[in-house]
C-alpha cells in the first residue's frame, strides 16, 4: 500500500512500512510539516507526544484543521507532571516519557486496532532521549519502525539536531527510509 506525501521536496508517495525522520533546528516549523503529514491520505493516526500534553496536541490539530475523527493521542507527560487527565477511546497515557515498553505497547495496540492507511507521528525523539537516554531512544525507534513495517503503516519522527552530537544524529539518520531536513528559514531538503 502506498501513502501520499504532500510535503515540499518529498516523493509523491511512499510505501507502507516507511519511517521518515524530520530533522529540525527548533520546533517552530515542525507543526506545519507534521500536520501536513497527518491529514493527507489517512484513515487513522496516532500522535505520540513526549514534548506536549494531549490538550496541546488537540489544539495543534484544531489550529491546522486536521480531522480529529481520525486522531488518537498518546500523552507521555501528564501523569508524571501531575496534570489532570481523562482517558478516553482516543487519548491514552503512559506513566512517564521514559516508559519505552509502555509507549511501544500502546503503538502496537493502536496499529492492531486500526485498518486502512495508518500513520504515526512521534514528537519528539529528542525529548525521548532526554528522558530515557540516547541508547534507549535508539532502541525505541528501532522497535517502532519494525511495528510500522509489520502493519504497513508510515511514521514521522521529530528530532532536533541542536542537543545531539553529530554521531548520534547520524545513527538516527541511518535507521530511516527518508529524512526531511528542515532549515531555520523553513526550507526543506529531503532525502529518500
Amino acid at each position: 500500500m502506498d501513502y501520499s506525501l504532500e510535503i515540499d521536496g518529498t516523493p509523491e508517495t511512499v510505501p507502507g512500512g516507511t519511517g521518515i525522520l524530520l530533522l529540525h533546528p527548533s520546533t517552530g516549523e515542525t507543526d506545519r510539516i507534521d500536520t501536513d503529514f497527518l491529514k493527507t491520505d489517512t484513515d487513522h493516526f496516532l500522535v505520540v507526544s513526549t514534548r506536549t500534553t494531549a490538550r496541546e496536541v488537540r489544539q495543534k490539530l484544531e489550529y491546522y484543521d486536521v480531522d480529529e475523527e481520525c486522531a488518537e493521542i498518546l500523552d507521555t507527560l501528564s501523569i508524571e507532571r501531575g496534570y489532570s487527565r481523562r482517558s478516553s477511546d482516543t487519548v491514552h497515557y503512559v506513566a512517564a516519557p521514559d516508559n519505552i515498553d509502555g509507549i511501544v505497547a500502546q503503538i502496537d495496540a493502536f496499529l492492531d486496532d486500526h485498518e486502512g492507511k495508518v500513520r504515526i507521528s512521534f514528537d519528539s525523539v529528542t525529548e525521548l532521549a532526554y528522558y530515557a537516554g540516547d541508547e534507549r531512544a535508539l532502541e525505541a525507534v528501532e522497535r517502532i519502525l519494525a511495528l510500522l513495517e509489520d502493519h504497513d503503516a508510515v511514521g514521522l519522527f521529530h528530532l532536533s539536531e541542536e542537543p545531539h552530537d553529530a554521531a548520534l544524529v547520524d545513527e538516527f539518520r541511518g535507521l530511516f527510509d527518508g529524512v526531511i531536513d528542515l532549515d531555520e528559514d523553513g526550507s526543506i531538503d529531503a532525502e529518500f
Side-chain angles (χ1 to χ4, degrees), residues 47-60 73-79 81-85 91-93 123:
V47 177
V48 180
S49 186
T50 58
R51 189 174 63 83
T52 58
T53 64
R55 183 180 56 78
E56 292 166 299
V57 172
R58 284 225 178 278
Q59 288 170 342
K60 174 175 87 172
I73 300 167
L74 176 58
D75 178 335
T76 70
L77 293 175
S78 289
I79 292 176
R81 292 187 178 171
Y83 298 150
S84 63
R85 61 202 177 277
V91 179
H92 314 280
Y93 297 91
D123 185 9

Side-chain angles (χ1 to χ4, degrees), residues 20-24 30 33-34 156-160 180 182:
I20 303 166
L21 180 63
L22 173 58
L23 278 176
H24 57 89
T30 62
I33 292 172
D34 197 33
L156 181 70
F157 296 72
H158 298 232
L159 183 73
S160 175
I180 298 171
L182 178 63

Side-chain angles (χ1 to χ4, degrees), residues 32-176:
R32 176 181 51 86
I33 292 172
D34 197 33
T35 52
D36 284 349
F37 173 77
L38 293 172
K39 67 183 173 185
T40 304
D41 196 22
T42 306
D43 296 313
H44 307 281
F45 66 83
L46 175 68
V47 177
V48 180
S49 186
T50 58
R51 189 174 63 83
T52 58
T53 64
R55 183 180 56 78
E56 292 166 299
V57 172
R58 284 225 178 278
Q59 288 170 342
K60 174 175 87 172
L61 297 177
E62 191 176 309
Y63 180 81
Y64 285 93
D65 198 29
V66 180
D67 184 1
E68 291 185 56
E69 295 292 311
C70 303
E72 291 193 26
I73 300 167
L74 176 58
D75 178 335
T76 70
L77 293 175
S78 289
I79 292 176
E80 184 179 72
R81 292 187 178 171
Y83 298 150
S84 63
R85 61 202 177 277
R86 276 180 250 132
S87 283
S88 68
D89 290 344
T90 59
V91 179
H92 314 280
Y93 297 91
V94 294
D98 64 351
N99 182 355
I100 288 171
D101 289 339
I103 291 169
V104 171
Q106 288 280 358
I107 293 170
D108 194 18
F110 171 81
L111 292 170
D112 278 342
D113 289 348
H114 294 88
E115 297 287 318
K117 294 196 172 182
V118 182
R119 296 178 187 240
I120 304 273
S121 168
F122 199 106
D123 185 9
S124 92
V125 175
T126 296
E127 294 296 319
L128 181 66
Y130 172 76
Y131 290 107
D134 296 342
E135 290 307 313
R136 292 186 65 221
L138 282 161
E139 175 211 325
V141 168
E142 288 174 336
R143 290 169 66 187
I144 297 164
L145 289 171
L147 289 174
L148 293 178
E149 201 164 311
D150 291 346
H151 292 274
D152 207 26
V154 293
L156 181 70
F157 296 72
H158 298 232
L159 183 73
S160 175
E161 289 182 87
E162 290 164 0
H164 306 294
D165 65 38
L168 182 64
V169 171
D170 286 345
E171 265 192 270
F172 277 113
R173 266 182 183 274
L175 298 177
F176 290 90

